[in-house]
Every structure is written in C-alpha cells, then in structure tokens.
Amino acid sequence: MWLLLLASLGGCRWFAVPPQLPVASSIALDELIVYSDFELPENHRLLRDLELLRTDVTDQLSVPVSDEQIQVYVFKTPKRYRKFLREHFPDFPDRRAFFVETDTRLSVYSYWGDRIAEDLRHEVCHGYLHAVVPEIPLWLDEGLAEYFECSRGDGGLNEIHLEQLLEAKKEGEWRPDLAHLEQLENVSDMHQIEYAEAWLWAHFFLRTTPARKQILQDYLTQCRVRPTRSFSKGLLKVEPDAEKNLIAHLEMLKETPSLFQNQPDVKILEADRLE
Ligand SMILES: [Zn+2]
C-alpha cells in the first residue's frame, strides 16, 4: 500500500500517454470510476463495498461528500500491473496497490488478487480523504486507511496490527508516542509498527467515546481550513492520559474483540469513557 504525492510533477507527463492502462471496461460509481482490463460485473460486491465505504468515511469522520472524481485502475494480473508500474512509476516500491495524488487527479492502481478488497478499501479511502482534506497529516491518513480497509463486519478491528502491538508491548519494544507519529512526513519513514499504532489511534478515536470521536472530527475540520501538525499537544491538554488510555484500549481489544466485531454500523462503547 503506497501513497505518493506528485503535486510538484504536475499531471500531464504521467497521464498523457498511458498505453497500458487497463481501460477496456469501466464502471462509474458516484465519485469513483473503476477501470479494468477485464469485465467486472457492475453488481460485484467489491464495488458496492467501495460505495458504502464512501458513506462510512464521510459519516464517521463528519466530512463533506466530495464530487471530485477518483480513478481506480484494476489490472487483471500482477504481471500486467507490475509492467505498467515499471514503465510509468519506476521508482515506486513493489506494493500490491497504491494511491497517487497530482494537482489534477486522484488515482488508485491495483491488480485482481486475493487481497483486492482490502487493498482497494485502503487506497480508495485515501482518495476519499484527500478529496476533502488534502493536507491530512500522514499518520492520520494511514491510520484511517488501515481502519477503513477492514471489512465492514470487522468494525475497523485490524487483527494483524492488534497482534503486532500486543507482541511489541509485551517485549518492551513499543509504547504509544503520538508526537513521534506526527513527525513522520514520508511513507518511507513509516514502518509496520507505526502503521499499527496509527491504526490503533484511529480505532481509539472512532470506537470508544463520543467525546474522542468529536476531537478527531474537529481536528479534520481544522485540517481542511488550516493544516496543522499539533494534534498531540491539543489532545494531551484535553486528555492528559490519552497514551495510557490507548494502552487500556489495546488491552480491551485483546480481551473482548467481539465487542467491536460483526457490527456493520459503528457503535460507540462507553466502557473507557473520558474521565
Ligand atoms: Zn496507505
């Protein structure tokens, strides 16, 4: 999963001559146009999922619905996808999917593989976010994408990240550090553990108390008007024990994951209410 901002490059050079783009078939879905080099059934569950994701993202984050188009390119095979990547984005690392933002376009690229649903949810989530919060800080952008990439029934519970954080905590190799996350400006600076922590913060804000959810929503509103990187300072003023409470939330997820799973609609849990 890869996010690259190419604003300084402009859009034309990359998109004017895209001979291998998979555009044999296309399906328009609200903000999305899904192109593929094979026939994708219009009523495929994956496509309905991406439509529902738009509602989930805008409702849960209380951001406006954008009409900015997002192009999604799905190659039939990894071979075709990688060939395209080598020719058009030779400096990109080898990832299953990625999101590109230029001055004029929001685009997602991927291929039809076992994890296409998760990959598209993640990358399209970046698209939905950047359409309305172009200056969203990296840690939050990735944390929310990791949250929303989970299937709806999982309620944002990313078990791989949960396991990794629990293990790293047990080994004394990790503790929450939001100020550190905020300093990260490039995807290449983010390691797996930082993706995991960013996801946990997203889950903490969206799935614990209405007050925390409001803090996140207010911050996103602020980012739309005046980009800022001082989220952690503001948070610690309102909730000085936020990082300790994040650990408590992690433990709760370990003990009672079912409280958060299999609930298609977001349910606010009051168990670790703000003091
Ligand atoms: Zn991402």
Side-chain angles (χ1 to χ4, degrees):
M1 286 158 272
W2 184 250
L3 162 70
L4 191 73
L5 306 179
L6 291 176
S8 60
L9 294 175
C12 316
R13 191 158 73 86
W14 293 92
F15 295 97
V17 188
Q20 288 110 356
L21 273 174
V23 292
S25 167
S26 69
I27 296 172
L29 304 165
D30 294 328
E31 209 174 338
L32 301 179
I33 297 193
V34 182
Y35 295 99
S36 53
D37 52 4
F38 60 102
E39 201 70 38
L40 197 54
E42 280 199 35
N43 58 355
H44 196 286
R45 201 174 79 175
L46 173 68
L47 301 177
R48 288 204 311 276
D49 229 37
L50 294 177
E51 282 183 306
L52 291 171
L53 176 66
R54 184 192 197 215
T55 309
D56 287 345
V57 169
T58 52
D59 285 358
Q60 292 192 46
L61 302 178
S62 194
V63 290
V65 174
S66 168
D67 57 4
E68 185 167 356
Q69 210 173 72
I70 301 167
Q71 275 92 24
V72 179
Y73 297 102
V74 183
F75 293 80
K76 188 177 184 184
T77 65
K79 193 174 167 188
R80 288 186 200 172
Y81 165 79
R82 294 207 168 94
K83 182 170 187 288
F84 176 83
L85 230 65
R86 272 197 309 276
E87 289 180 18
H88 294 272
F89 302 100
D91 298 330
F92 278 22
D94 186 16
R95 306 286 174 101
R96 295 192 309 270
F98 64 99
F99 166 66
V100 175
E101 178 180 22
T102 68
D103 285 347
T104 55
R105 285 174 188 252
L106 302 173
S107 309
V108 168
Y109 300 82
S110 192
Y111 63 87
W112 195 259
D114 292 347
R115 298 174 70 177
I116 182 71
E118 168 192 331
D119 291 345
L120 283 189
R121 280 195 298 266
H122 181 105
E123 305 302 340
V124 168
C125 177
H126 282 314
Y128 289 147
L129 289 171
H130 280 251
V132 289
V133 195
E135 302 291 332
I136 186 171
L138 177 65
W139 73 274
L140 187 53
D141 193 14
E142 291 303 339
L144 290 170
E146 294 291 318
Y147 175 92
F148 284 106
E149 78 175 32
C150 302
S151 66
R152 297 188 95 225
D154 286 339
L157 184 57
N158 192 316
E159 292 196 22
I160 293 174
H161 290 331
L162 177 62
E163 289 304 318
Q164 186 185 11
L165 290 170
L166 287 167
E167 183 64 23
K169 179 177 160 290
K170 195 173 114 191
E171 299 298 324
E173 294 168 353
W174 170 79
R175 64 175 183 77
D177 188 349
L178 189 52
H180 164 70
L181 278 188
E182 281 187 311
Q183 301 301 316
L184 305 175
E185 294 190 351
N186 297 305
V187 172
S188 54
D189 297 333
M190 283 192 73
H191 304 101
Q192 276 305 310
I193 193 71
E194 281 141 349
Y195 274 92
E197 180 178 337
W199 159 77
L200 184 59
W201 281 112
H203 198 279
F204 179 73
F205 286 111
L206 291 174
R207 298 303 297 267
T208 57
T209 71
R212 288 186 188 133
K213 191 171 185 179
Q214 189 66 51
I215 288 170
L216 180 65
Q217 292 173 345
D218 290 348
Y219 181 64
L220 285 168
T221 303
Q222 196 186 334
C223 287
R224 296 185 66 224
V225 182
R226 183 166 44 89
T228 174
R229 297 194 182 278
S230 60
F231 180 69
S232 63
K233 283 185 188 159
L235 173 66
L236 294 174
K237 270 187 200 156
V238 180
E239 186 176 353
D241 289 333
E243 290 175 342
K244 202 172 109 194
N245 295 340
L246 186 78
I247 292 287
H249 182 58
L250 178 69
E251 295 295 340
M252 186 175 171
L253 284 172
K254 175 188 162 194
E255 298 303 326
T256 51
S258 58
L259 277 178
F260 298 89
Q261 288 174 309
N262 304 319
Q263 297 168 38
D265 297 311
V266 170
K267 181 182 172 187
I268 297 293
L269 291 170
E270 303 295 334
D272 52 350
R273 177 185 286 279
L274 282 168
E275 294 297 322

